[in-house]
Amino acid sequence: MSDQPSAPVPGLPDRPVVTAGIVVFDGVTLLDVIGPHTAFALAGMNVQLVAETLTPISTDTSIRLPPDVTIERCPQDLDIVCVPGGSVGDAMLDIKLRDFLRARAATARYVTSVCSGALILAAAGLLDGYRAATHWASRDLLAALGVEVSTKRVCMDRNRITGGGITAGIDFGLAVVGEVLGREVAEFVQLGMEYNPKPPFNTGSPETAGADLTALFTTVTKPIFQPMADATAQVLARRVAR
Amino acid sequence: MSDQPSAPVPGLPDRPVVTAGIVVFDGVTLLDVIGPHTAFALAGMNVQLVAETLTPISTDTSIRLPPDVTIERCPQDLDIVCVPGGSVGDAMLDIKLRDFLRARAATARYVTSVCSGALILAAAGLLDGYRAATHWASRDLLAALGVEVSTKRVCMDRNRITGGGITAGIDFGLAVVGEVLGREVAEFVQLGMEYNPKPPFNTGSPETAGADLTALFTTVTKPIFQPMADATAQVLARRVAR
C-alpha cells in the first residue's frame, strides 16, 4: 500500500490509496474486467490493467482493451491482484503470466479472480488449499485442478476473494471494496452504480435455468470450453510429471 | 434489419441479424456501454460503437474506448439505437450528435438509453411524450426536460426502452434482447452472463440507501452533475426561444 494519503471518496473518511492490478489477456471477457474496474475506480483505487505487452487486448466483444502497463513495469506493491476470466486456455499455460502472478501474490494483500479467472490462479497453484468460486460452467475444471469449489457468488477464504461468472464481477467488486476500504465506502459505490438489480428473467444460474437450458448452453459453448479443458489436462499432466 | 439469415445463438431458432448502434462520447460511463454490449453480443447481434470520430473515447475510468464507426459511416438501418450515460453535458448540446440521433430514431425499431443517456435523448426531443427511466441522480433533470420519469429499472413505452443507472444496463440489455429476439434467447444470455445477482450491501437505490448517504452522494458528485444541469438549462432556454 502506498504511503500517499488521500480520500478515495471525498466526504468519507481519509483512506490510503489502494493499488489494484487487473490482469488482461487475449480472450478476456470484457464485463469480467469492467464490473470490478468500475467499483474499484469509484472507490478511489488506483486501477491498472496489466498485460504482457501494451498491444490492445482482444475480448469476447468487438472492443479491444488497451492495457495500462506491462507485467515488467507493473508496480511491485500491488494491494490487489485480480484475474478476470474468459477464454483462459492460453493464459492458464502461459509461464510468464503464471510467474508474474506468483510473484505479486507473494506480497499482495488480496489475490482475487472473477469468473473463469479462477482457473488461471489455480493453474499457477495459487488456489491450492483454498475454496474458490468461478463461472458455473467452469466449476468442473476448477475442481479437477484440486480446488474446493464454492457455488457462492463471492467466496472469501483468507486473502483469496473469488467471484462467480461475468456479472458476479459487480457483486465481487463491491465485496472487495467493502473488505479493503470498509463498508461505508462500498455502500457509497453501490448507490453510485445503482446496483439494485431486477433481472427480467430467472435463468441466472443452472439451478433456476433448469436442466434443458443448461444442457443447451453447455453444448453451444463447447468450442469455448474445450480449450480450457485441454489446458486443465495439460496443467495436471505437468504436475504429475514433476 | 438485415436480410442476412443467421442463428444468433446456435441451438436456438434462426433469427435475422439485428444491428445495434451504441453511441459513445467523451465522458461516457464504461459500464453503461459494456452491460448492454455484452448482452447484445451474446445474443448474436451486430453491435457497433458509434462516435463522431474514430479517436478513442475517454470514459469514467482510465480505459479509453475505440469506436467502431463514425456517425457519417454508421449503417442507415439500425434496428436499435442505444445511448449510454455518463458526464453527458457536452453530448446533450452537440448538434451533430442530436441530428444523428433524430435521423436514426426515425427509422430504428427501438430507441433506447441507459443511465443519464436518457438526458441526451430528451435533449434531442426524442422522449417528448414518453415515459423514461434514468440514473436516480438524473431524474430531476429528465423531468425538467419535460419527460415523464419512471423509477423502474427498465422502462418500456412503445418503442422507447430506457434503463436506470449504470448496472441497470445489464437488466436493460437482457430486457431488450427479450423484446427483440424473444424470451428464449434472453434466458440463454442471462444464464451465460450468470446474472443471478446477490448484492453484498443494500444501498443500490436512494430508497434503500437512506437520506444521509443519498445526500452525501449528491454533494460529492455535484462537480459531475453541475455541467449536466447547465446543459439542461441551455436546452430549455433554446426551446423557449424558438
Side-chain angles (χ1 to χ4, degrees):
Chain A
M1 184 162 316
S2 158
D3 292 333
Q4 185 187 350
S6 102
V9 180
L12 292 175
D14 280 8
R15 316 254 175 171
V17 170
V18 171
T19 301
I22 302 181
V23 172
V24 291
F25 48 86
D26 286 327
V28 73
T29 294
L30 190 52
L31 192 49
D32 288 9
V33 178
I34 305 306
H37 196 295
T38 300
F40 293 174
L42 274 171
M45 292 186 192
N46 169 22
V47 191
Q48 303 272 314
L49 295 185
V50 188
E52 295 203 13
T53 73
L54 294 181
T55 307
I57 295 293
S58 65
T59 70
D60 62 316
T61 71
S62 57
I63 299 170
R64 295 181 77 90
L65 195 59
D68 295 311
V69 67
T70 63
I71 63 180
E72 272 85 14
R73 291 177 178 272
C74 175
Q76 290 293 331
D77 56 344
L78 292 181
D79 297 293
I80 301 167
V81 175
C82 178
V83 184
S87 297
V88 300
D90 288 346
M92 288 171 71
L93 299 174
D94 183 330
I95 303 291
K96 202 168 159 186
L97 179 62
R98 283 156 53 164
D99 285 348
F100 167 78
L101 288 173
R102 276 193 287 258
R104 287 304 182 283
T107 56
R109 292 172 60 209
Y110 296 94
V111 178
T112 74
S113 65
V114 175
C115 196
S116 52
L119 298 180
I120 302 175
L121 287 181
L126 291 168
L127 293 179
D128 291 355
Y130 289 91
R131 258 180 304 114
T134 189
H135 192 291
W136 64 263
S138 303
R139 286 178 191 159
D140 288 353
L141 297 179
L142 190 60
L145 290 165
V147 178
E148 187 188 337
V149 174
S150 165
T151 58
K152 288 173 76 175
R153 194 146 170 93
V154 181
C155 174
M156 296 199 187
D157 184 5
R158 286 154 287 167
N159 80 335
R160 295 331 194 228
I161 308 179
T162 50
I166 308 188
T167 55
I170 295 168
D171 307 74
F172 160 89
L174 291 169
V176 170
V177 169
E179 178 72 18
V180 179
L181 291 169
R183 182 181 185 110
E184 204 173 10
V185 177
E187 289 184 338
F188 180 95
V189 171
Q190 186 180 351
L191 178 60
M193 293 173 75
E194 202 170 331
Y195 193 42
N196 178 32
K198 302 266 188 300
F201 308 102
N202 188 29
T203 55
S205 71
E207 292 71 31
T208 59
D212 288 354
L213 184 58
T214 302
L216 174 65
F217 185 91
T218 305
T219 304
V220 167
T221 56
K222 193 158 194 321
I224 297 172
F225 282 93
Q226 190 58 51
M228 292 154 66
D230 294 344
T232 300
Q234 284 192 52
V235 169
L236 291 171
R238 288 179 199 174
R239 281 189 193 168
V240 170
R242 273 207 305 263
Chain B
M1 186 161 312
S2 159
D3 292 333
Q4 186 188 350
S6 103
V9 179
L12 292 176
D14 280 8
R15 315 255 175 171
V17 170
V18 170
T19 301
I22 303 181
V23 173
V24 291
F25 47 85
D26 286 329
V28 74
T29 294
L30 190 51
L31 193 49
D32 288 9
V33 177
I34 304 307
H37 196 296
T38 299
F40 293 174
L42 275 172
M45 291 187 193
N46 169 21
V47 191
Q48 303 272 314
L49 295 185
V50 188
E52 295 203 11
T53 73
L54 295 181
T55 307
I57 296 292
S58 65
T59 71
D60 62 316
T61 71
S62 58
I63 299 171
R64 295 180 76 90
L65 194 58
D68 296 309
V69 66
T70 63
I71 62 179
E72 274 85 14
R73 291 176 178 272
C74 175
Q76 289 293 330
D77 56 342
L78 292 180
D79 296 294
I80 301 166
V81 176
C82 178
V83 184
S87 297
V88 300
D90 288 345
M92 289 171 72
L93 299 174
D94 184 330
I95 303 290
K96 202 169 159 187
L97 179 61
R98 284 156 51 165
D99 285 347
F100 167 77
L101 289 172
R102 276 192 287 258
R104 287 303 182 284
T107 55
R109 291 172 61 208
Y110 296 94
V111 178
T112 75
S113 65
V114 175
C115 197
S116 52
L119 298 179
I120 302 176
L121 287 182
L126 291 168
L127 292 178
D128 293 354
Y130 289 90
R131 258 180 302 115
T134 189
H135 193 289
W136 65 263
S138 302
R139 285 179 191 158
D140 288 352
L141 297 180
L142 191 60
L145 289 165
V147 178
E148 188 188 336
V149 174
S150 166
T151 57
K152 289 174 76 175
R153 193 142 169 98
V154 181
C155 174
M156 296 198 186
D157 185 4
R158 288 154 285 167
N159 80 335
R160 298 326 198 232
I161 308 179
T162 50
I166 307 188
T167 56
I170 295 168
D171 308 73
F172 160 89
L174 291 169
V176 169
V177 169
E179 178 73 17
V180 179
L181 291 169
R183 185 184 184 107
E184 206 173 7
V185 177
E187 289 184 339
F188 180 95
V189 171
Q190 187 180 351
L191 178 60
M193 293 173 74
E194 203 169 332
Y195 193 43
N196 179 31
K198 301 267 188 299
F201 308 102
N202 187 29
T203 56
S205 72
E207 292 71 31
T208 59
D212 288 355
L213 184 57
T214 303
L216 174 64
F217 185 90
T218 305
T219 304
V220 167
T221 57
K222 193 159 195 315
I224 296 171
F225 283 93
Q226 190 59 51
M228 293 155 67
D230 294 345
T232 300
Q234 283 192 52
V235 169
L236 291 171
R238 287 179 199 177
R239 281 190 192 169
V240 170
R242 275 207 303 263

